[in-house]
Amino acid sequence: MNAGTDPGKMPKPMSRKVVQLLPSLESGGVERGVVELSRHLVSLGHKSVVISAGGRLVGTITRDGGRHVTLPVGRKRLSGIPLIWKLRAWFRKEKPDIIHVRSRLPAWFAYLAWKGLPKKDRPAFVSTFHGYYSPGGYSGIMTRGERVIAVSASVGDYLLKTWPKTDPKILRVIPRGVDPAECPRGFQPADAWRQRWLREFQGRDGPGSFLLCLPGRITRLKGHDDFFRIVARLRAAGVPARGLVAGDTQAGKESYGNELKTLAKTLGVEDHISFLGHRSDVREVMAVSHAVLSLTTQPESFGRAVLEALTLGTPVVAYDQGGVAEQLAELLPEGAVKPGDWQAAADRLLLWHTQGRPEPKPNHRFLLSRMLSQTLDVYRELREGF
C-alpha cells in the first residue's frame, strides 16, 4: 500500500454473478462439479446461482452460500417452451455475468433466451461437454458456447471430430478433479463405521472376503452384468469375492435391476452380491474395498469415482477407454484391460489376489483446485473480475 492511502477508500474486489443450469441436483459427477464450483465462487466473494428442477443437493448449494432457482429445465415436453421467455426475463432482471450450461436441454432453453437479448446486454455464454453426446443438431447446442469446456482430452477429440465446424480456439480441456483432503491417500474409516460395515455386509463372507466395488447408478451403461460374471469367475477359482454395487437404480430402470438379480441367481452369486443403494459413504466403501472396477459398455467421459478410488490409494481395474484410460495411464497403467474383456479383468484381479495389489501413483494432476482455477480462467477470458 502506498503511503498516505486511505484503507477505507481501497477499491473492493469485484463481485461477479455466475448462473449454472442443469436438469436436476440429485447425484452424479456433473451435479457434484456444479456444487463444487458454486462453493468456490462464493468463497471468492462472487454470487452463484444454480437453476435446476431440484434434488437432494439443493441444500448443499444453499448452505454453501449459493442460491437455487427451481425451474423444470430438463423436462422434455412442449410445455417447457415458455421457459425460454421466463429465462430471458430472469436474465434481464438478474444480469448475470456468466451463463454456464451443463446439459443439452437446459442449454437449448438458456441459449434461445440468451440469443433474444440485445447483444450489449448478453452475459458470457459457456458450455461444458460432460459426455460423448450423440451426433446431430440437438447435441450440437453444446458447441454454441463462447467457450466450450471438455472434461477430458478424449471428449475434446470427440467433439472436434463430430462437430468439425467448431472453432478449436474456443475449446478448453479441463479434466475433472478431486480434493485430496476429501480422498486422503491411505484413508481408513472410523472404527464405528467399520463395526457397522462388518455387521451389515462383510460378515456374510467372513473377514477374508475379497471386496470388489462397482460404484455408480444401476444402468446398462455401467456394466453390472460383466461385474457379476467377474465375481462368479473369481469364486470358481477359489477367491472369496464379494461384489459391492454402490448406487441406486435410475428412475425408470427398475426392470434392469430385476434382470440383474436374476442374472446373479443364474450365475450362482446371488449370496455374494450386495446391493448397497445410494450411499453417502462411498468413500469409505471404496477405501475398504480391495479393488474398484469400471466396466462401462461405452467410454466414460471422465469417471470421477475411478479417480476418487485411485486418489485414496485403492487400485482400479477398468476398461481402457475414454477419460478413465487417461487416469489409468497417469496413475495405474496395470489396471487397464481391453474394453469388454471381463475375463481379462477377472484374471487381473485373480493375479492381484494371489500376488498382491499394485499401488496407484499419487494424484498430482487431477485435482479439484486445478479444475476450479482453470474454469475461472475461462470466465476471465470473457469477463474481467474473476
Side-chain angles (χ1 to χ4, degrees):
M1 184 183 301
N2 294 329
T5 301
D6 183 353
K9 294 183 179 180
M10 290 292 289
K12 294 181 180 179
M14 186 178 296
S15 176
R16 291 297 198 180
K17 183 184 290 186
V18 177
V19 179
Q20 300 181 79
L21 294 96
L22 73 165
S24 67
L25 277 168
E26 288 297 343
S27 63
V30 177
E31 292 83 350
R32 290 176 64 185
V34 168
V35 169
E36 289 162 344
L37 179 57
S38 178
R39 179 183 300 133
H40 184 60
L41 288 165
V42 172
S43 74
L44 295 176
H46 300 299
K47 296 180 177 66
S48 170
V49 185
V50 177
I51 298 177
S52 82
R56 58 169 65 103
L57 292 174
V58 168
T60 305
I61 293 286
T62 56
R63 282 193 299 272
D64 289 341
R67 175 181 163 202
H68 182 265
V69 175
T70 303
L71 287 174
V73 289
R75 184 183 295 169
K76 296 179 180 179
R77 297 178 184 173
L78 288 175
S79 59
I81 291 177
L83 281 173
I84 298 169
W85 291 274
K86 185 175 289 188
L87 280 171
R88 187 176 298 153
W90 191 90
F91 292 157
R92 284 198 186 102
K93 176 186 175 184
E94 295 285 336
K95 296 181 171 56
D97 298 285
I98 304 285
I99 296 172
H100 191 160
V101 295
R102 304 287 199 141
S103 182
R104 290 171 291 180
L105 189 56
W108 272 110
F109 289 136
Y111 178 78
L112 293 173
W114 174 81
K115 197 74 171 174
L117 295 172
K119 284 189 177 182
K120 64 181 180 62
D121 297 333
R122 289 178 189 169
F125 195 82
V126 177
S127 63
T128 294
F129 253 74
H130 284 282
Y132 302 93
Y133 301 127
S134 56
Y138 175 66
S139 299
I141 186 62
M142 301 303 288
T143 69
R144 302 282 185 92
E146 294 173 281
R147 294 293 184 274
V148 179
I149 297 171
V151 299
S152 64
S154 58
V155 167
D157 292 341
Y158 173 82
L159 186 162
L160 294 176
K161 180 180 178 180
T162 308
W163 290 274
K165 292 184 179 179
T166 304
D167 184 352
K169 293 179 181 179
I170 69 170
L171 178 64
R172 302 290 181 269
V173 175
I174 304 179
R176 305 297 85 184
V178 299
D179 182 356
E182 294 295 322
C183 298
R185 193 173 183 84
F187 168 79
Q188 292 297 317
D191 288 342
W193 186 94
R194 281 185 171 276
Q195 291 302 318
R196 289 195 304 272
W197 175 257
L198 287 170
R199 288 195 302 269
E200 294 176 20
F201 299 106
Q202 190 172 351
R204 299 179 187 179
D205 293 317
S209 299
F210 190 56
L211 300 178
L212 306 175
C213 178
L214 186 71
R217 297 169 182 162
I218 298 178
T219 67
R220 294 186 190 278
L221 172 67
K222 294 294 184 181
H224 290 83
D225 47 353
D226 282 359
F227 184 52
F228 291 3
R229 293 184 182 99
I230 288 168
V231 172
R233 187 179 180 99
L234 289 172
R235 294 198 67 86
V239 178
R242 169 163 288 278
L244 308 173
V245 179
D248 53 6
T249 303
Q250 188 173 352
K253 305 293 183 181
E254 291 81 6
S255 61
Y256 179 58
N258 293 330
E259 283 182 38
L260 288 177
K261 291 176 182 178
T262 300
L263 176 62
K265 187 172 183 179
T266 301
L267 294 171
V269 294
E270 69 271 27
D271 293 331
H272 307 291
I273 299 290
S274 295
F275 289 90
L276 308 185
H278 174 76
R279 307 282 299 200
S280 59
D281 58 352
V282 174
R283 177 185 64 171
E284 283 76 5
V285 174
M286 293 195 297
V288 300
S289 296
H290 294 91
V292 168
L293 285 81
S294 176
L295 307 167
T296 54
T297 58
Q298 301 172 20
E300 287 219 65
S301 56
F302 185 73
R304 179 172 178 139
V306 168
L307 180 60
E308 291 175 343
L310 292 169
T311 304
L312 287 166
T314 301
V316 172
V317 171
Y319 290 157
D320 192 24
Q321 57 186 355
V324 169
E326 296 172 33
Q327 296 175 43
L328 292 176
E330 181 85 12
L331 304 175
L332 191 69
E334 53 266 63
V337 297
K338 182 180 177 182
D341 194 347
W342 64 265
Q343 296 97 330
D347 292 344
R348 190 71 48 87
L349 290 163
L350 178 59
L351 181 68
W352 291 2
H353 181 262
T354 56
Q355 298 186 12
R357 299 177 298 157
E359 187 174 339
K361 297 176 184 176
N363 175 22
H364 298 306
R365 178 185 174 193
F366 304 105
L367 301 175
L368 175 62
S369 58
R370 177 177 290 187
M371 179 189 83
L372 295 172
S373 175
Q374 291 178 342
T375 301
L376 264 63
D377 285 344
V378 171
Y379 292 171
R380 200 173 292 117
E381 293 177 25
L382 301 169
R383 292 288 186 276
E384 294 181 356
F386 287 98

